[in-house]
Amino acid sequence: MKDFHGTKVTLEEVAQAAGVSRATASRVLTSDPRVSLDARRAVERAASKLGYVPNQAGRALATGRSDAVALVVFEPTTLLFGDPFFPRLIRGLGDVLTSRDMQLILLAPQTASDADRVERYVAAGHVDGALLVSLPSAHPLPARLASRGIPVVIGGRPTEADRFNHVDVDNVSGSAHAVAHLVAGGRRTIATVTGRKDVPAGQDRLRGYQEGLKAAGLPPDDALIEAGDFTRDGGARAMRFLLVKRPQLDAVFVASDLMAVGVLEALHQAGRRVPEDVAVVGYDDDPMAIGLQPPLSSVRQPIEEMGREMARLLLDAVHSPDRPPRKVLLTTRLEVRFSSAPVVAKPTGEAV
Amino acid sequence: MKDFHGTKVTLEEVAQAAGVSRATASRVLTSDPRVSLDARRAVERAASKLGYVPNQAGRALATGRSDAVALVVFEPTTLLFGDPFFPRLIRGLGDVLTSRDMQLILLAPQTASDADRVERYVAAGHVDGALLVSLPSAHPLPARLASRGIPVVIGGRPTEADRFNHVDVDNVSGSAHAVAHLVAGGRRTIATVTGRKDVPAGQDRLRGYQEGLKAAGLPPDDALIEAGDFTRDGGARAMRFLLVKRPQLDAVFVASDLMAVGVLEALHQAGRRVPEDVAVVGYDDDPMAIGLQPPLSSVRQPIEEMGREMARLLLDAVHSPDRPPRKVLLTTRLEVRFSSAPVVAKPTGEAV
DNA sequence: CTAGAGTGTGGAACCGCTCCCAATGAAGGA
DNA sequence: TCCTTCATTGGGAGCGGTTCCACACTCTAG
């Protein structure tokens, strides 16, 4: 229908076509109220007829803003695309960002030089601020960005918790609750497959597990702790180790649902029934958790809410740069399903 | 160590610190050879001391380029992050793009208004060109972008194949080969779980299946065709339908590995042994195909290569906009594993 | 010794947009 | 009727780079 014949049309041309000055045309397009109805209509008509789209570079140069924020994910690409955490997070971010007409730009630095590139990218003004997730402990990036005056919000618990805006899920209490639930179901030898130890969420979930045991008066046992890496295969591998080290275990708390899939497979292969022999609780409440065999109990994190909160915090920081850093802590909820059903007293009377 | 005290440093300041003009400083930073060694060194020192990063908006405005390209994925976010296709594609794109210092920007329009937003985003000069994948048939976006003179490369087969640069995998012959392989293994009642019918890849794989049957002289049977949607659950559902409609089937060609996972589950639940009772061939050769029970035969697409080729085509188009559209067709390879092992003549002599 | 050909360099003109500021004219009040 | 006030407008100065162009200078060759 319309053909813009490949030429970039500028504000000047729109103004000319509408018979007004460039300044007035600009006002119309930035929704400045001080424009007469006539002028407004003329400009709008001209703009749509010419297929005008404001040039980003020009606008950014004049305003000093880019109307975009970066989501910087420190994960190998394969994990990024495997982990259901990210679509949920992005949905939450999107809720807030699109309502303010802001673009989300995804950056996934894989190497140290990539991380430098991210710093330059952000410092070059491509974006107005950065959202950082899966940040390894003590990574220099947040401080670097902050020293350049770039607003930053961290998802998860940063190393220096008070220096930066951050939104975290209460991983410790979420995990402790999961353990308490297993204890309440009659389990006594509770193992855990942890996440990566270099990620705060992994550390916190382990701590919650330990606190849960302690609260229940159960003895700690390092052989019941096996490190996973947030992958399905890693979960299966960890479970196999646990079964070798502590064959008598009767429950496992797994630090992510993806790993829990591997755990269930490993248990199945080892001939253990879930939940009769071993109860399993996962973490994340991935949609697939319901579809697993048996349906997986899981700690539900408010990830969409986390995204929304991160976006809000960042937009606030962009808007008023001198506000001191804020911290938001979100609570989890345990979704109880069949994989952690309580032990039943056996008919034969062989009590536990 | 270094603290840039939150102020943006400009080229002017670098030039001043180095005792040269802005022009000379700019030459150094754009690797223009016509600069004396002294000046070059002075500018480089000043730049690194001040932590200078060129402002993107200023540069883009002056050069008319942004040194970034968009990857536009027409998929629901959940699929985008579930499908292992994308990390591989992105790796391939990255190979070429990072070597030319170009940024990749991921856009995943979910709605029609998102698609309009993508058009504006690209037209605003955020990027120098666009890579389009999973494009629904007859989507107006490529033509819209082309009419604005924006270089475009399509991954997969576009509706009007000759108007646009595109890189495609030969889905038809790949699928036909898979069927030929099943026939060679002694299978005679070969069903298929298709992909989404509105995606060219889905259409082509179905066509390849049909051609494969025809080439083998097997009769077509619509009841052996069941639509999936490229998800695991969709695959399981489709398989269940097929088992009801044609219980005697002895092979299934599945248009993606993710669906094949569901297919294997459904077969297992129905008590069919793979490959003894039913042979299965998937598509994509997802890394997990090897780990499945049994290891899954699969048509391997050269996805990384597709990404590289797409990036090359786009960069060429950015560089020389008047070149006529080109087409690249990549070939597949069948990875034969245990899930499609041939039927063996039974010891009892009950020949086929 | 001088014209001609290179080198490096700085001044200044853009790139497209926003926004300050001054100017205009109409409306309202004294 | 004249002066303020207010709404609307256009001129023009940037924003931070790149690059054209002219200039100064050095170095050869005639």
Side-chain angles (χ1 to χ4, degrees):
Chain A
M1 195 188 300
K2 292 174 203 160
D3 191 322
F4 311 124
H5 59 286
T7 322
K8 320 288 180 198
V9 16
T10 70
L11 186 57
E12 183 70 55
E13 304 175 55
V14 173
Q16 210 157 345
V20 300
S21 74
R22 203 168 73 244
T24 299
S26 172
R27 284 187 198 102
V28 172
L29 294 159
T30 50
S31 332
D32 189 313
R34 310 168 307 178
V35 186
S36 70
L37 198 58
D38 281 358
R40 180 173 305 279
R41 276 210 273 259
V43 171
E44 278 164 356
R45 269 240 314 281
S48 94
K49 185 165 133 246
L50 297 173
Y52 173 72
V53 175
N55 176 289
Q56 147 67 10
R59 172 170 288 190
L61 195 51
T63 59
R65 287 179 306 97
S66 66
D67 295 321
V69 303
L71 172 61
V72 186
V73 181
F74 291 81
E75 291 283 7
T77 334
T78 34
L79 270 187
L80 202 185
F81 284 88
D83 193 332
F85 175 83
F86 295 102
R88 288 182 63 195
L89 181 72
I90 290 176
R91 195 171 320 130
L93 294 170
D95 286 349
V96 173
L97 293 177
T98 58
S99 76
R100 313 271 199 104
D101 248 300
M102 287 231 145
Q103 265 291 329
L104 180 69
I105 293 182
L106 181 63
L107 302 174
Q110 305 287 307
T111 63
S113 85
D114 279 0
D116 286 352
R117 195 167 299 158
V118 166
E119 185 185 353
R120 284 206 306 279
Y121 186 83
V122 175
H126 279 99
V127 294
D128 297 331
L131 302 155
L132 274 30
V133 296
S134 320
L135 191 69
S137 296
H139 198 283
L141 190 63
R144 290 262 191 81
L145 293 178
S147 83
R148 287 182 186 276
I150 293 159
V152 159
V153 173
I154 296 175
R157 184 171 54 79
T159 311
E160 302 163 273
D162 296 331
R163 281 189 55 193
F164 307 106
N165 287 306
H166 67 281
V167 177
D168 198 8
V169 172
D170 196 340
N171 282 294
V172 177
S173 84
S175 305
H177 273 127
V179 171
H181 161 70
L182 289 169
V183 170
R187 314 292 173 165
R188 288 297 173 269
T189 310
I190 303 174
T192 187
V193 175
T194 74
R196 275 168 42 200
K197 294 270 179 66
D198 58 337
V199 176
Q203 300 161 3
D204 288 354
R205 289 174 200 176
L206 173 56
R207 197 150 65 82
Y209 159 82
Q210 292 164 328
E211 290 188 6
L213 287 188
K214 193 169 163 192
L218 292 173
D221 176 356
D222 279 355
L224 286 172
I225 299 176
E226 186 61 41
D229 55 1
F230 287 128
T231 69
R232 177 174 171 167
D233 287 351
R237 203 176 313 122
M239 190 66 236
R240 284 191 295 267
F241 284 137
L242 286 171
L243 284 172
V244 170
K245 291 191 295 184
R246 286 292 181 270
Q248 75 274 27
L249 60 82
D250 61 7
V252 195
F253 166 64
V254 190
S256 88
D257 282 357
L258 199 63
M259 291 197 294
V261 174
V263 163
L264 289 178
E265 286 169 359
L267 285 170
H268 181 74
Q269 278 168 21
R272 308 292 180 107
R273 293 167 306 164
V274 176
E276 292 84 350
D277 303 327
V278 179
V280 178
V281 174
Y283 209 106
D284 288 343
D285 195 34
D286 190 306
M288 80 183 167
I290 300 177
L292 291 175
Q293 227 21 274
L296 179 70
S297 297
S298 189
V299 179
R300 180 171 185 80
Q301 304 194 82
I303 301 181
E304 288 86 354
E305 183 55 29
M306 182 175 178
R308 273 180 239 119
E309 208 53 57
M310 287 181 72
R312 282 190 210 109
L313 242 52
L314 188 63
L315 293 182
D316 282 0
V318 168
H319 198 260
S320 34
D322 297 324
R323 190 197 297 249
R326 283 189 291 164
K327 167 184 178 172
V328 175
L329 193 64
L330 303 171
T331 58
T332 60
R333 196 180 49 179
L334 181 63
E335 298 287 346
V336 177
R337 302 201 183 87
F338 192 60
S339 73
S340 65
V343 271
V344 287
K346 304 229 179 75
T348 51
E350 303 171 18
V352 182
Chain B
M1 197 186 304
K2 292 174 202 158
D3 192 320
F4 310 125
H5 58 285
T7 321
K8 321 288 181 197
V9 16
T10 72
L11 186 58
E12 184 69 54
E13 305 174 55
V14 172
Q16 210 157 346
V20 300
S21 73
R22 202 163 78 240
T24 299
S26 172
R27 285 190 197 100
V28 172
L29 294 159
T30 52
S31 333
D32 189 313
R34 310 169 307 182
V35 187
S36 69
L37 198 58
D38 282 357
R40 180 174 305 281
R41 277 210 273 258
V43 172
E44 278 164 356
R45 271 241 313 282
S48 94
K49 184 166 131 244
L50 298 173
Y52 173 72
V53 175
N55 176 289
Q56 147 68 10
R59 174 171 284 190
L61 193 52
T63 59
R65 287 179 305 97
S66 67
D67 295 322
V69 302
L71 172 61
V72 185
V73 180
F74 291 81
E75 292 283 6
T77 335
T78 35
L79 270 187
L80 202 185
F81 283 87
D83 194 332
F85 175 83
F86 295 101
R88 290 182 62 195
L89 182 71
I90 290 175
R91 194 172 319 132
L93 294 170
D95 286 348
V96 175
L97 293 178
T98 58
S99 75
R100 314 271 199 105
D101 249 299
M102 288 228 142
Q103 265 292 330
L104 181 67
I105 292 180
L106 181 63
L107 302 174
Q110 306 287 308
T111 64
S113 85
D114 279 0
D116 286 353
R117 196 167 297 160
V118 166
E119 185 186 352
R120 285 204 305 279
Y121 186 82
V122 175
H126 279 98
V127 294
D128 297 332
L131 302 154
L132 273 33
V133 297
S134 321
L135 192 68
S137 296
H139 198 283
L141 190 63
R144 291 261 190 79
L145 293 179
S147 81
R148 288 183 185 275
I150 293 159
V152 161
V153 173
I154 297 175
R157 184 171 53 79
T159 312
E160 303 162 272
D162 296 330
R163 281 188 57 192
F164 306 105
N165 287 306
H166 69 281
V167 178
D168 198 8
V169 173
D170 196 340
N171 282 294
V172 177
S173 85
S175 306
H177 274 127
V179 171
H181 162 70
L182 289 168
V183 171
R187 314 292 173 166
R188 288 297 174 268
T189 311
I190 304 173
T192 188
V193 175
T194 74
R196 274 168 43 201
K197 294 273 178 65
D198 58 336
V199 176
Q203 300 161 4
D204 287 356
R205 290 173 199 175
L206 173 56
R207 199 149 66 80
Y209 160 81
Q210 290 164 329
E211 289 187 6
L213 287 187
K214 195 167 162 194
L218 293 173
D221 176 357
D222 279 355
L224 286 172
I225 300 175
E226 185 61 40
D229 55 1
F230 286 128
T231 68
R232 176 175 172 166
D233 288 350
R237 204 177 311 123
M239 190 66 236
R240 285 193 293 268
F241 285 138
L242 286 171
L243 285 172
V244 171
K245 290 192 296 182
R246 286 291 181 272
Q248 75 275 26
L249 60 83
D250 61 6
V252 196
F253 167 64
V254 190
S256 88
D257 283 357
L258 200 61
M259 291 196 295
V261 174
V263 164
L264 288 178
E265 286 170 358
L267 284 170
H268 181 74
Q269 280 169 18
R272 308 293 180 107
R273 293 167 306 164
V274 177
E276 293 84 350
D277 304 326
V278 179
V280 178
V281 174
Y283 210 107
D284 289 343
D285 195 34
D286 188 305
M288 79 183 168
I290 301 177
L292 291 175
Q293 227 23 275
L296 179 71
S297 297
S298 188
V299 179
R300 179 172 184 79
Q301 303 195 81
I303 300 180
E304 287 86 354
E305 182 57 28
M306 183 174 178
R308 275 181 237 119
E309 208 55 57
M310 286 181 72
R312 284 192 208 108
L313 244 52
L314 188 63
L315 293 182
D316 282 1
V318 168
H319 198 259
S320 34
D322 297 323
R323 189 197 297 248
R326 284 189 291 164
K327 166 184 178 174
V328 175
L329 194 63
L330 304 171
T331 58
T332 60
R333 197 181 49 178
L334 181 64
E335 298 288 345
V336 177
R337 301 199 182 90
F338 192 59
S339 72
S340 66
V343 272
V344 287
K346 303 231 177 75
T348 51
E350 303 171 18
V352 182

